[in-house]
Amino acid sequence: MEAREKCGVAAVSVPGQGASPYLYRGLRALQHRGQESAGIVTSSHGRLHDRRAMGLVHEVFNRDTLEALRGSTGIGHIRYSTRGTSTVENAQPIILPTHDGGLAIAQNGDIVNYQRLRKRLQADGVELVGNADTEVAGNFLAMEYENSRNMEAAIKRLMSEISGGYAFVMVHGDKFYAWRDPLGIRPLHLGSIEGGYMVASESVAIELMGGTPLRDVAPGEIIAVGRTKDKDGELVPTLRPLKGMSTGERAYCMFEWVYFSRPDSIVNGTLAYEVRYRIGEILAREARPDADLVIPVPDSSRPHALGLAQASGIPYAEGLIKSRFVERTFILPDQKRREEEVRIKLHPVPGVIKGKRVVLVDDSIVRGTTIKEIIAMVRGAGASEVHVRVGSPPIIAPCYFGIDMKDRRELVAHERTEEDIAKLVGADSVRYLSMPGLVEAIGHPEKSLCVGCLTARYPVDIPQEHRRLQTTLTDYHTETPQEDTIQ
Ligand code: SF4
Protein backbone atom coordinates (compact mmCIF):
# COMPACT_ATOMS: atom_id res chain seq x y z
CA MET A 1 0.00 0.00 0.00
CA GLU A 2 2.98 2.36 -0.06
CA ALA A 3 3.78 2.45 -3.74
CA ARG A 4 3.14 5.78 -5.37
CA GLU A 5 0.97 5.44 -8.39
CA LYS A 6 1.35 6.73 -11.86
CA CYS A 7 -1.20 8.89 -13.55
CA GLY A 8 -4.61 8.51 -15.10
CA VAL A 9 -5.83 9.57 -18.53
CA ALA A 10 -9.21 9.88 -20.19
CA ALA A 11 -10.53 11.06 -23.57
CA VAL A 12 -14.09 11.63 -24.75
CA SER A 13 -15.93 12.53 -27.94
CA VAL A 14 -19.69 12.92 -27.61
CA PRO A 15 -22.16 14.24 -30.18
CA GLY A 16 -23.86 17.57 -29.46
CA GLN A 17 -22.71 17.91 -25.83
CA GLY A 18 -19.80 19.29 -23.88
CA ALA A 19 -17.01 16.79 -23.17
CA SER A 20 -15.82 18.46 -19.97
CA PRO A 21 -18.49 17.15 -17.52
CA TYR A 22 -17.75 13.60 -18.69
CA LEU A 23 -14.01 14.11 -18.30
CA TYR A 24 -14.53 15.59 -14.83
CA ARG A 25 -16.41 12.48 -13.72
CA GLY A 26 -13.84 10.21 -15.32
CA LEU A 27 -10.92 11.96 -13.62
CA ARG A 28 -12.66 11.77 -10.26
CA ALA A 29 -13.02 8.02 -10.77
CA LEU A 30 -9.28 7.84 -11.46
CA GLN A 31 -8.23 10.11 -8.58
CA HIS A 32 -6.51 7.20 -6.76
CA ARG A 33 -3.94 7.14 -9.60
CA GLY A 34 -2.60 10.63 -8.89
CA GLN A 35 -3.39 13.55 -6.65
CA GLU A 36 -0.87 16.25 -7.45
CA SER A 37 -2.45 17.97 -10.44
CA ALA A 38 -5.41 17.69 -12.76
CA GLY A 39 -6.08 19.03 -16.23
CA ILE A 40 -8.64 18.99 -19.05
CA VAL A 41 -8.27 20.26 -22.62
CA THR A 42 -11.28 20.38 -24.93
CA SER A 43 -11.56 21.21 -28.62
CA SER A 44 -14.29 23.32 -30.14
CA HIS A 45 -14.01 23.54 -33.96
CA GLY A 46 -10.28 22.94 -33.61
CA ARG A 47 -9.79 25.65 -30.97
CA LEU A 48 -8.41 24.33 -27.71
CA HIS A 49 -9.66 25.32 -24.24
CA ASP A 50 -7.66 24.24 -21.23
CA ARG A 51 -7.41 24.27 -17.49
CA ARG A 52 -4.61 22.66 -15.49
CA ALA A 53 -3.75 23.23 -11.84
CA MET A 54 -2.17 21.60 -8.83
CA GLY A 55 -4.68 19.84 -6.58
CA LEU A 56 -7.45 17.26 -6.58
CA VAL A 57 -9.96 17.13 -9.40
CA HIS A 58 -12.77 18.72 -7.39
CA GLU A 59 -10.40 21.51 -6.27
CA VAL A 60 -9.22 22.29 -9.80
CA PHE A 61 -12.65 22.38 -11.50
CA ASN A 62 -16.02 23.90 -10.69
CA ARG A 63 -19.18 24.59 -12.67
CA ASP A 64 -17.76 27.80 -14.22
CA THR A 65 -14.40 26.34 -15.21
CA LEU A 66 -16.10 23.29 -16.74
CA GLU A 67 -18.50 25.47 -18.74
CA ALA A 68 -15.56 27.45 -20.09
CA LEU A 69 -14.09 24.22 -21.47
CA ARG A 70 -16.13 24.25 -24.67
CA GLY A 71 -16.35 21.51 -27.25
CA SER A 72 -17.55 17.96 -27.49
CA THR A 73 -14.09 16.35 -27.76
CA GLY A 74 -11.44 16.48 -25.07
CA ILE A 75 -8.84 14.76 -22.95
CA GLY A 76 -8.06 14.78 -19.23
CA HIS A 77 -5.22 13.82 -16.95
CA ILE A 78 -4.49 13.43 -13.27
CA ARG A 79 -0.90 13.28 -12.20
CA TYR A 80 1.44 11.96 -9.67
CA SER A 81 4.88 12.91 -10.99
CA THR A 82 7.14 10.00 -11.87
CA ARG A 83 9.25 12.00 -14.31
CA GLY A 84 9.66 15.73 -14.14
CA THR A 85 9.23 17.90 -11.10
CA SER A 86 5.96 18.47 -9.31
CA THR A 87 5.03 21.90 -10.64
CA VAL A 88 2.10 23.21 -12.62
CA GLU A 89 4.42 23.58 -15.65
CA ASN A 90 4.66 19.80 -15.71
CA ALA A 91 0.92 19.31 -15.16
CA GLN A 92 -0.82 17.75 -18.15
CA PRO A 93 -2.28 17.82 -20.76
CA ILE A 94 0.37 19.94 -22.43
CA ILE A 95 -0.41 22.00 -25.52
CA LEU A 96 1.84 22.48 -28.55
CA PRO A 97 1.25 24.47 -31.71
CA THR A 98 0.95 23.02 -35.23
CA HIS A 99 -0.01 24.81 -38.45
CA ASP A 100 -3.45 23.19 -38.17
CA GLY A 101 -4.09 24.38 -34.61
CA GLY A 102 -2.82 23.20 -31.26
CA LEU A 103 -2.42 19.62 -30.15
CA ALA A 104 -2.87 18.64 -26.51
CA ILE A 105 -1.29 15.47 -25.15
CA ALA A 106 -1.24 13.59 -21.85
CA GLN A 107 0.37 10.35 -20.73
CA ASN A 108 0.25 7.65 -18.08
CA GLY A 109 3.56 5.84 -17.63
CA ASP A 110 7.21 6.44 -18.45
CA ILE A 111 9.27 6.49 -21.62
CA VAL A 112 12.59 4.94 -20.64
CA ASN A 113 14.66 6.31 -23.55
CA TYR A 114 13.19 9.82 -23.75
CA GLN A 115 16.53 11.54 -23.08
CA ARG A 116 17.83 10.38 -26.46
CA LEU A 117 14.79 11.91 -28.18
CA ARG A 118 15.13 15.03 -26.04
CA LYS A 119 18.71 15.56 -27.23
CA ARG A 120 17.66 15.09 -30.85
CA LEU A 121 14.88 17.64 -30.52
CA GLN A 122 17.21 20.13 -28.86
CA ALA A 123 19.76 19.59 -31.62
CA ASP A 124 16.95 20.46 -34.07
CA GLY A 125 16.39 23.74 -32.18
CA VAL A 126 13.23 22.72 -30.31
CA GLU A 127 12.91 24.59 -27.00
CA LEU A 128 11.73 22.39 -24.12
CA VAL A 129 10.39 24.24 -21.08
CA GLY A 130 9.81 21.37 -18.62
CA ASN A 131 11.68 18.13 -17.99
CA ALA A 132 8.90 15.60 -18.53
CA ASP A 133 8.92 12.81 -21.11
CA THR A 134 5.41 13.82 -22.25
CA GLU A 135 6.71 17.18 -23.44
CA VAL A 136 9.40 15.41 -25.46
CA ALA A 137 6.82 13.07 -27.01
CA GLY A 138 4.46 15.99 -27.77
CA ASN A 139 7.17 18.04 -29.46
CA PHE A 140 8.27 15.06 -31.51
CA LEU A 141 4.67 14.54 -32.67
CA ALA A 142 4.21 18.22 -33.52
CA MET A 143 7.45 18.17 -35.55
CA GLU A 144 6.53 14.98 -37.36
CA TYR A 145 3.05 16.30 -38.08
CA GLU A 146 4.46 19.48 -39.61
CA ASN A 147 6.54 17.30 -41.93
CA SER A 148 3.83 14.85 -42.97
CA ARG A 149 0.47 16.52 -42.12
CA ASN A 150 -0.55 12.99 -41.14
CA MET A 151 -1.11 12.53 -37.42
CA GLU A 152 -1.50 8.77 -37.58
CA ALA A 153 1.85 8.44 -39.33
CA ALA A 154 3.38 10.81 -36.75
CA ILE A 155 2.11 8.65 -33.86
CA LYS A 156 3.55 5.53 -35.47
CA ARG A 157 6.86 7.27 -35.94
CA LEU A 158 6.84 8.24 -32.27
CA MET A 159 6.05 4.66 -31.25
CA SER A 160 8.96 3.40 -33.29
CA GLU A 161 11.31 5.77 -31.44
CA ILE A 162 10.22 5.31 -27.85
CA SER A 163 10.36 2.43 -25.44
CA GLY A 164 8.66 1.94 -22.08
CA GLY A 165 5.26 1.54 -20.52
CA TYR A 166 2.81 4.20 -21.65
CA ALA A 167 -0.79 5.08 -22.50
CA PHE A 168 -1.26 8.38 -24.35
CA VAL A 169 -4.31 10.48 -25.16
CA MET A 170 -4.19 13.43 -27.54
CA VAL A 171 -6.65 15.91 -29.06
CA HIS A 172 -5.96 17.69 -32.35
CA GLY A 173 -8.59 19.44 -34.44
CA ASP A 174 -11.88 17.67 -33.81
CA LYS A 175 -10.24 14.28 -33.26
CA PHE A 176 -8.90 12.47 -30.28
CA TYR A 177 -6.26 9.76 -30.42
CA ALA A 178 -5.22 7.21 -27.83
CA TRP A 179 -2.44 4.65 -27.99
CA ARG A 180 -0.86 2.09 -25.74
CA ASP A 181 2.67 0.71 -25.54
CA PRO A 182 3.36 -2.35 -27.71
CA LEU A 183 3.61 -4.69 -24.70
CA GLY A 184 0.52 -3.35 -22.91
CA ILE A 185 2.46 -2.53 -19.74
CA ARG A 186 0.18 0.37 -18.87
CA PRO A 187 -3.59 -0.14 -19.12
CA LEU A 188 -6.08 1.66 -21.37
CA HIS A 189 -9.76 0.85 -21.88
CA LEU A 190 -12.18 1.78 -24.68
CA GLY A 191 -15.86 2.51 -24.14
CA SER A 192 -18.90 3.87 -25.94
CA ILE A 193 -21.42 6.47 -24.86
CA GLU A 194 -24.59 7.93 -26.42
CA GLY A 195 -23.28 7.78 -29.98
CA GLY A 196 -19.75 8.71 -28.88
CA TYR A 197 -16.58 7.10 -27.61
CA MET A 198 -14.29 7.37 -24.65
CA VAL A 199 -11.06 5.85 -23.37
CA ALA A 200 -9.73 5.81 -19.84
CA SER A 201 -6.97 4.20 -17.80
CA GLU A 202 -9.55 2.01 -16.09
CA SER A 203 -12.88 0.56 -17.13
CA VAL A 204 -14.50 1.90 -13.96
CA ALA A 205 -13.91 5.48 -15.16
CA ILE A 206 -15.83 4.69 -18.36
CA GLU A 207 -18.71 3.36 -16.28
CA LEU A 208 -18.68 6.39 -13.99
CA MET A 209 -18.70 8.69 -17.03
CA GLY A 210 -21.98 6.98 -17.94
CA GLY A 211 -20.44 4.88 -20.75
CA THR A 212 -20.21 1.20 -21.51
CA PRO A 213 -16.79 -0.45 -21.39
CA LEU A 214 -16.15 -2.21 -24.73
CA ARG A 215 -12.66 -3.70 -24.48
CA ASP A 216 -9.04 -2.99 -23.65
CA VAL A 217 -7.15 -0.93 -26.18
CA ALA A 218 -4.86 -3.64 -27.57
CA PRO A 219 -1.14 -3.38 -26.84
CA GLY A 220 0.41 -1.26 -29.60
CA GLU A 221 -2.99 -0.19 -30.95
CA ILE A 222 -3.87 3.39 -31.92
CA ILE A 223 -7.46 4.57 -31.47
CA ALA A 224 -8.58 7.51 -33.61
CA VAL A 225 -11.99 9.05 -32.95
CA GLY A 226 -13.00 11.65 -35.53
CA ARG A 227 -16.26 13.09 -36.85
CA THR A 228 -18.22 12.21 -39.98
CA LYS A 229 -21.66 13.30 -41.22
CA ASP A 230 -24.52 10.90 -40.56
CA LYS A 231 -27.54 10.50 -42.89
CA ASP A 232 -29.11 13.66 -41.45
CA GLY A 233 -25.95 15.64 -42.07
CA GLU A 234 -25.03 15.74 -38.34
CA LEU A 235 -21.40 15.35 -37.41
CA VAL A 236 -21.07 12.25 -35.24
CA PRO A 237 -18.03 10.58 -33.65
CA THR A 238 -16.54 7.69 -35.61
CA LEU A 239 -14.06 5.19 -34.30
CA ARG A 240 -11.03 3.98 -36.27
CA PRO A 241 -8.96 1.38 -34.47
CA LEU A 242 -5.57 1.37 -36.21
CA LYS A 243 -2.91 -1.25 -36.10
CA GLY A 244 0.05 0.52 -34.57
CA MET A 245 2.94 -1.59 -33.40
CA SER A 246 3.04 -4.98 -31.84
CA THR A 247 5.48 -7.82 -31.42
CA GLY A 248 2.67 -10.08 -30.26
CA GLU A 249 4.38 -10.15 -26.86
CA ARG A 250 2.56 -8.95 -23.74
CA ALA A 251 3.89 -7.58 -20.46
CA TYR A 252 0.88 -6.45 -18.44
CA CYS A 253 1.90 -4.78 -15.17
CA MET A 254 1.05 -7.31 -12.46
CA PHE A 255 0.61 -4.47 -9.97
CA GLU A 256 -2.51 -3.16 -11.71
CA TRP A 257 -4.33 -6.24 -10.41
CA VAL A 258 -2.55 -6.44 -7.07
CA TYR A 259 -2.97 -2.83 -5.99
CA PHE A 260 -3.07 0.08 -8.44
CA SER A 261 -6.37 -0.31 -10.26
CA ARG A 262 -9.62 -0.02 -8.41
CA PRO A 263 -11.02 -3.45 -7.45
CA ASP A 264 -14.10 -2.77 -9.59
CA SER A 265 -11.99 -2.27 -12.74
CA ILE A 266 -11.57 -4.93 -15.40
CA VAL A 267 -7.85 -5.00 -16.15
CA ASN A 268 -6.76 -6.75 -19.34
CA GLY A 269 -9.93 -8.83 -19.28
CA THR A 270 -9.93 -9.78 -15.59
CA LEU A 271 -11.71 -8.06 -12.71
CA ALA A 272 -9.12 -6.78 -10.22
CA TYR A 273 -11.37 -7.75 -7.26
CA GLU A 274 -11.39 -11.41 -8.34
CA VAL A 275 -7.60 -11.53 -8.66
CA ARG A 276 -7.19 -10.01 -5.20
CA TYR A 277 -9.65 -12.46 -3.64
CA ARG A 278 -7.85 -15.39 -5.30
CA ILE A 279 -4.53 -14.06 -4.00
CA GLY A 280 -5.97 -14.31 -0.47
CA GLU A 281 -7.12 -17.88 -1.09
CA ILE A 282 -3.68 -18.85 -2.38
CA LEU A 283 -1.98 -17.15 0.58
CA ALA A 284 -4.13 -19.31 2.87
CA ARG A 285 -2.87 -22.39 1.02
CA GLU A 286 0.78 -21.30 0.89
CA ALA A 287 1.26 -19.59 4.24
CA ARG A 288 -1.69 -20.18 6.57
CA PRO A 289 -0.79 -18.67 9.94
CA ASP A 290 -1.92 -20.02 13.30
CA ALA A 291 -4.04 -17.04 14.32
CA ASP A 292 -7.39 -15.84 15.69
CA LEU A 293 -8.23 -12.97 13.35
CA VAL A 294 -7.57 -11.83 9.77
CA ILE A 295 -7.41 -8.04 9.54
CA PRO A 296 -6.96 -6.14 6.25
CA VAL A 297 -4.81 -3.06 5.92
CA PRO A 298 -7.62 -0.86 4.54
CA ASP A 299 -8.80 -0.10 1.94
CA SER A 300 -6.91 -1.78 -0.84
CA SER A 301 -6.20 -5.09 0.95
CA ARG A 302 -9.79 -6.01 1.84
CA PRO A 303 -10.39 -8.47 -1.02
CA HIS A 304 -7.04 -10.22 -0.33
CA ALA A 305 -7.93 -10.51 3.38
CA LEU A 306 -11.45 -11.78 2.66
CA GLY A 307 -10.06 -14.51 0.41
CA LEU A 308 -7.51 -15.52 3.03
CA ALA A 309 -10.11 -15.55 5.83
CA GLN A 310 -12.64 -17.60 3.91
CA ALA A 311 -10.11 -20.12 2.62
CA SER A 312 -8.35 -20.51 5.98
CA GLY A 313 -11.43 -20.48 8.21
CA ILE A 314 -9.86 -17.76 10.38
CA PRO A 315 -12.49 -15.09 11.22
CA TYR A 316 -12.26 -11.77 9.35
CA ALA A 317 -12.48 -8.50 11.28
CA GLU A 318 -12.19 -4.83 10.47
CA GLY A 319 -9.64 -4.16 13.17
CA LEU A 320 -8.22 -1.01 11.58
CA ILE A 321 -10.42 1.94 10.80
CA LYS A 322 -9.37 4.34 8.08
CA SER A 323 -10.19 8.03 8.36
CA ARG A 324 -12.24 9.03 5.36
CA PHE A 325 -10.80 12.50 5.07
CA VAL A 326 -7.03 12.12 5.00
CA GLU A 327 -5.22 12.20 1.69
CA ARG A 328 -3.25 9.09 0.66
CA THR A 329 -0.02 8.64 2.59
CA PHE A 330 2.36 8.65 -0.31
CA ILE A 331 1.60 12.15 -1.53
CA LEU A 332 3.30 13.65 1.50
CA PRO A 333 6.75 14.88 0.69
CA ASP A 334 9.04 13.48 3.35
CA GLN A 335 9.40 10.26 5.25
CA LYS A 336 8.75 11.71 8.72
CA ARG A 337 5.45 13.23 7.69
CA ARG A 338 4.51 10.01 5.95
CA GLU A 339 4.99 8.07 9.18
CA GLU A 340 2.94 10.58 11.16
CA GLU A 341 0.17 10.47 8.61
CA VAL A 342 -0.16 6.68 8.93
CA ARG A 343 -1.19 7.25 12.54
CA ILE A 344 -3.68 9.94 11.57
CA LYS A 345 -5.09 7.84 8.76
CA LEU A 346 -5.49 4.48 10.51
CA HIS A 347 -6.69 3.66 13.98
CA PRO A 348 -6.97 0.20 15.59
CA VAL A 349 -10.17 -1.03 17.22
CA PRO A 350 -8.93 -2.04 20.71
CA GLY A 351 -11.83 -4.27 21.68
CA VAL A 352 -11.43 -6.32 18.51
CA ILE A 353 -7.68 -6.78 18.69
CA LYS A 354 -6.94 -7.15 22.43
CA GLY A 355 -5.42 -10.52 23.35
CA LYS A 356 -5.75 -11.87 19.77
CA ARG A 357 -3.21 -13.46 17.44
CA VAL A 358 -3.68 -11.22 14.42
CA VAL A 359 -2.89 -11.77 10.72
CA LEU A 360 -2.46 -8.43 9.00
CA VAL A 361 -2.99 -8.69 5.24
CA ASP A 362 -1.37 -6.09 2.99
CA ASP A 363 -1.46 -6.12 -0.81
CA SER A 364 2.24 -5.22 -1.09
CA ILE A 365 5.15 -3.86 0.90
CA VAL A 366 7.51 -1.37 -0.71
CA ARG A 367 9.58 0.53 1.85
CA GLY A 368 8.17 -1.18 4.94
CA THR A 369 7.64 2.05 6.85
CA THR A 370 3.83 1.95 6.73
CA ILE A 371 3.49 -1.68 7.82
CA LYS A 372 6.01 -1.11 10.62
CA GLU A 373 3.84 1.71 12.01
CA ILE A 374 0.71 -0.39 11.67
CA ILE A 375 2.25 -3.38 13.46
CA ALA A 376 3.32 -1.11 16.34
CA MET A 377 -0.22 0.29 16.45
CA VAL A 378 -1.81 -3.19 16.51
CA ARG A 379 0.54 -4.36 19.25
CA GLY A 380 -0.29 -1.17 21.17
CA ALA A 381 -3.96 -2.14 20.93
CA GLY A 382 -3.21 -5.42 22.75
CA ALA A 383 -2.57 -8.03 20.02
CA SER A 384 -0.66 -10.99 21.45
CA GLU A 385 0.95 -11.87 18.08
CA VAL A 386 1.11 -10.03 14.75
CA HIS A 387 1.71 -12.02 11.56
CA VAL A 388 1.88 -10.33 8.16
CA ARG A 389 0.76 -11.90 4.88
CA VAL A 390 1.56 -10.01 1.68
CA GLY A 391 -0.49 -10.23 -1.52
CA SER A 392 2.50 -10.09 -3.88
CA PRO A 393 5.99 -11.59 -4.06
CA PRO A 394 8.74 -9.36 -2.57
CA ILE A 395 9.51 -6.14 -4.46
CA ILE A 396 13.27 -6.26 -4.92
CA ALA A 397 13.97 -3.96 -7.86
CA PRO A 398 12.92 -0.57 -9.24
CA CYS A 399 10.06 0.12 -11.63
CA TYR A 400 10.96 2.04 -14.80
CA PHE A 401 7.45 2.21 -16.20
CA GLY A 402 5.67 4.83 -14.17
CA ILE A 403 5.62 3.60 -10.57
CA ASP A 404 7.65 5.48 -8.01
CA MET A 405 9.94 2.67 -6.87
CA LYS A 406 13.20 3.95 -8.22
CA ASP A 407 15.88 3.05 -5.71
CA ARG A 408 16.71 -0.49 -4.58
CA ARG A 409 18.01 0.79 -1.25
CA GLU A 410 14.52 2.02 -0.38
CA LEU A 411 12.97 -1.40 -0.89
CA VAL A 412 12.63 -3.38 2.32
CA ALA A 413 12.80 -6.75 0.51
CA HIS A 414 15.99 -5.92 -1.38
CA GLU A 415 18.60 -8.44 -0.19
CA ARG A 416 16.53 -9.39 2.88
CA THR A 417 14.82 -12.65 3.78
CA GLU A 418 11.28 -12.88 5.17
CA GLU A 419 12.83 -13.41 8.62
CA ASP A 420 14.99 -10.26 8.26
CA ILE A 421 11.93 -8.27 7.23
CA ALA A 422 9.82 -9.61 10.12
CA LYS A 423 12.53 -8.50 12.54
CA LEU A 424 12.83 -5.08 10.90
CA VAL A 425 9.11 -4.30 10.91
CA GLY A 426 8.43 -5.91 14.31
CA ALA A 427 6.21 -8.80 13.14
CA ASP A 428 6.12 -12.36 14.51
CA SER A 429 6.22 -13.59 10.92
CA VAL A 430 6.11 -12.16 7.39
CA ARG A 431 5.21 -14.34 4.41
CA TYR A 432 4.82 -13.24 0.80
CA LEU A 433 2.75 -14.72 -2.01
CA SER A 434 4.89 -16.94 -4.28
CA MET A 435 5.47 -16.11 -7.95
CA PRO A 436 3.52 -19.21 -9.13
CA GLY A 437 0.75 -18.14 -6.74
CA LEU A 438 0.65 -14.66 -8.29
CA VAL A 439 0.54 -16.04 -11.81
CA GLU A 440 -2.23 -18.47 -10.84
CA ALA A 441 -4.29 -15.66 -9.27
CA ILE A 442 -3.96 -13.36 -12.30
CA GLY A 443 -4.71 -16.13 -14.77
CA HIS A 444 -2.37 -14.91 -17.55
CA PRO A 445 0.85 -16.83 -18.28
CA GLU A 446 3.94 -15.39 -16.59
CA LYS A 447 5.48 -14.54 -19.96
CA SER A 448 2.54 -12.17 -20.57
CA LEU A 449 3.19 -10.21 -17.37
CA CYS A 450 5.64 -7.53 -16.37
CA VAL A 451 7.17 -8.74 -13.13
CA GLY A 452 10.27 -6.56 -13.39
CA CYS A 453 10.14 -5.19 -9.84
CA LEU A 454 9.87 -8.75 -8.50
CA THR A 455 12.66 -10.32 -10.57
CA ALA A 456 14.86 -7.47 -11.89
CA ARG A 457 14.18 -8.86 -15.37
CA TYR A 458 12.32 -6.29 -17.44
CA PRO A 459 10.25 -6.55 -20.60
CA VAL A 460 12.24 -3.84 -22.40
CA ASP A 461 15.86 -2.84 -22.45
CA ILE A 462 16.89 -0.92 -19.34
CA PRO A 463 20.59 -0.03 -19.06
CA GLN A 464 22.21 -2.03 -16.21
CA GLU A 465 19.20 -4.35 -15.86
CA HIS A 466 18.32 -7.72 -17.38
CA ARG A 467 15.98 -7.78 -20.31
CA ARG A 468 13.49 -10.54 -20.86
CA LEU A 469 11.26 -9.75 -23.84
CA GLN A 470 12.00 -7.03 -26.35
CA THR A 471 15.37 -7.23 -28.03
CA THR A 472 15.55 -4.06 -30.08
CA LEU A 473 13.11 -1.39 -31.17
CA THR A 474 13.41 -2.66 -34.72
CA ASP A 475 11.62 -5.83 -33.60
CA TYR A 476 8.47 -3.77 -33.80
CA HIS A 477 6.74 -3.59 -37.12
CA THR A 478 4.37 -0.96 -38.35
CA GLU A 479 1.32 -1.82 -40.35
CA THR A 480 -0.78 0.17 -42.74
CA PRO A 481 -3.85 1.74 -41.11
CA GLN A 482 -7.08 -0.08 -41.79
CA GLU A 483 -9.08 2.41 -43.81
CA ASP A 484 -12.41 3.46 -42.42
CA THR A 485 -12.80 0.64 -39.95
CA ILE A 486 -15.83 2.04 -38.22
CA GLN A 487 -17.43 0.14 -35.36
S1 SF4 B 1 8.19 -3.12 -12.82
FE1 SF4 B 1 6.55 -3.77 -11.38
S2 SF4 B 1 5.26 -1.95 -11.01
FE2 SF4 B 1 6.59 -1.53 -12.79
S3 SF4 B 1 5.31 -2.04 -14.58
FE3 SF4 B 1 6.52 -3.87 -14.08
S4 SF4 B 1 5.21 -5.04 -12.66
FE4 SF4 B 1 4.37 -2.97 -12.79
Side-chain angles (χ1 to χ4, degrees):
M1 66 165 295
E2 309 157 25
R4 302 175 198 203
E5 300 180 23
K6 308 143 294 190
C7 303
V9 292
V12 167
S13 185
V14 277
Q17 303 174 57
S20 63
Y22 291 99
L23 289 165
Y24 174 78
R25 289 208 296 274
L27 294 185
R28 288 206 68 171
L30 296 174
Q31 188 79 80
H32 59 287
R33 299 182 76 89
Q35 293 110 12
E36 285 188 351
S37 65
I40 290 177
V41 176
T42 54
S43 172
S44 166
H45 306 294
R47 184 160 168 234
L48 299 184
H49 305 269
D50 77 300
R51 177 167 172 77
R52 296 171 304 154
M54 304 303 285
L56 300 171
V57 177
H58 74 273
E59 295 164 343
V60 171
F61 300 101
N62 58 36
R63 187 186 295 266
D64 292 341
T65 54
L66 287 174
E67 273 177 12
L69 291 164
R70 295 178 188 285
S72 50
T73 300
I75 61 171
H77 185 262
I78 44 106
R79 181 169 200 261
Y80 167 76
S81 62
T82 52
R83 272 210 202 286
T85 48
S86 178
T87 60
V88 75
E89 289 76 40
N90 277 328
Q92 298 180 28
I94 59 170
I95 297 179
L96 296 153
T98 74
H99 279 108
D100 296 326
L103 72 79
I105 185 168
Q107 183 205 184
N108 167 211
D110 273 349
I111 301 170
V112 295
N113 61 345
Y114 83 108
Q115 290 291 6
R116 190 170 56 92
L117 213 52
R118 185 183 172 85
K119 281 188 194 132
R120 260 178 52 190
L121 287 170
Q122 284 172 326
D124 283 349
V126 176
E127 275 186 38
L128 299 165
V129 290
N131 59 353
D133 51 353
T134 311
E135 189 193 4
V136 171
N139 273 283
F140 184 85
L141 273 181
M143 198 176 73
E144 284 293 319
Y145 179 77
E146 298 297 31
N147 292 335
S148 66
R149 288 292 202 278
N150 180 335
M151 192 56 86
E152 288 154 17
I155 294 170
K156 287 184 176 184
R157 186 98 173 81
L158 174 72
M159 290 174 91
S160 70
E161 292 285 341
I162 61 176
S163 177
Y166 55 80
F168 277 95
V169 289
M170 183 180 74
V171 63
H172 183 238
D174 60 359
K175 275 189 178 173
F176 86 69
Y177 301 86
W179 62 101
R180 188 178 179 195
D181 65 78
L183 296 171
I185 298 174
R186 296 271 65 89
L188 195 61
H189 213 91
L190 171 68
S192 64
I193 179 158
E194 297 169 19
Y197 294 96
M198 46 181 49
V199 297
S201 295
E202 293 187 33
S203 63
V204 69
I206 287 168
E207 289 183 76
L208 293 177
M209 286 192 274
T212 305
L214 294 175
R215 62 174 174 84
D216 290 295
V217 174
E221 185 182 21
I222 303 165
I223 295 287
V225 175
R227 303 237 154 195
T228 53
K229 283 189 180 159
D230 68 6
K231 59 181 174 9
D232 301 321
E234 295 291 319
L235 280 174
V236 293
T238 48
L239 173 72
R240 292 182 73 216
L242 305 166
K243 282 184 183 159
M245 315 197 91
S246 178
T247 59
E249 303 277 8
R250 300 286 180 264
Y252 303 133
C253 168
M254 62 87 200
F255 243 175
E256 291 289 346
W257 287 288
V258 168
Y259 167 59
F260 293 130
S261 289
R262 278 175 50 151
D264 43 350
S265 277
I266 298 165
V267 184
N268 301 309
T270 310
L271 184 66
Y273 180 91
E274 280 172 10
V275 172
R276 291 171 197 183
Y277 189 90
R278 275 201 296 271
I279 284 174
E281 291 179 317
I282 295 166
L283 271 173
R285 190 178 75 209
E286 292 185 339
R288 186 190 188 284
D290 216 3
D292 305 313
L293 278 183
V294 172
I295 294 180
V297 173
D299 290 320
S300 50
S301 307
R302 284 204 178 97
H304 312 71
L306 267 173
L308 193 155
Q310 295 203 354
S312 67
I314 303 170
Y316 174 95
E318 292 281 349
L320 290 165
I321 302 302
K322 185 175 176 184
S323 167
R324 293 181 201 169
F325 303 110
V326 180
E327 68 273 52
R328 300 190 105 189
T329 315
F330 59 70
I331 68 172
L332 297 164
D334 61 64
Q335 193 62 30
K336 184 83 194 116
R337 277 190 66 196
R338 269 213 285 260
E339 286 167 16
E340 284 168 12
E341 287 298 331
V342 174
R343 289 189 173 267
I344 296 170
K345 195 165 97 173
L346 290 178
H347 190 257
V349 186
V352 171
I353 290 171
K354 196 169 173 42
K356 297 286 197 308
R357 296 171 301 166
V358 165
V359 192
L360 278 177
V361 181
D362 206 348
D363 45 63
S364 53
I365 299 180
V366 181
R367 296 167 193 83
T369 47
T370 307
I371 195 73
K372 185 176 177 183
E373 286 295 314
I374 294 170
I375 292 165
M377 205 185 279
V378 170
R379 286 202 193 280
S384 60
E385 290 177 23
V386 184
H387 301 271
V388 176
R389 295 297 177 265
V390 189
S392 72
I395 296 165
I396 57 157
C399 174
Y400 297 96
F401 311 119
I403 315 298
D404 185 30
M405 303 188 300
K406 298 254 185 288
D407 188 340
R408 281 178 162 78
R409 289 164 303 182
E410 281 184 3
L411 304 172
V412 72
H414 176 60
E415 293 183 348
R416 286 196 185 94
T417 63
E418 289 178 332
E419 290 70 32
D420 295 338
I421 297 165
K423 209 176 284 175
L424 201 78
V425 299
D428 291 285
S429 72
V430 171
R431 294 286 303 276
Y432 287 84
L433 183 71
S434 70
M435 186 67 85
L438 176 74
V439 173
E440 181 188 335
I442 291 174
H444 287 272
E446 185 178 342
K447 67 178 173 44
S448 300
L449 302 175
C450 176
V451 288
C453 54
L454 310 177
T455 59
R457 287 166 58 78
Y458 295 86
V460 301
D461 193 15
I462 310 283
Q464 316 300 328
E465 300 281 6
H466 292 287
R467 184 175 60 203
R468 104 187 151 87
L469 281 180
Q470 180 192 326
T471 47
T472 65
L473 285 172
T474 51
D475 283 355
Y476 293 140
H477 58 280
T478 49
E479 294 178 47
T480 320
Q482 298 163 350
E483 287 307 322
D484 298 312
T485 313
I486 299 171
Q487 289 186 347

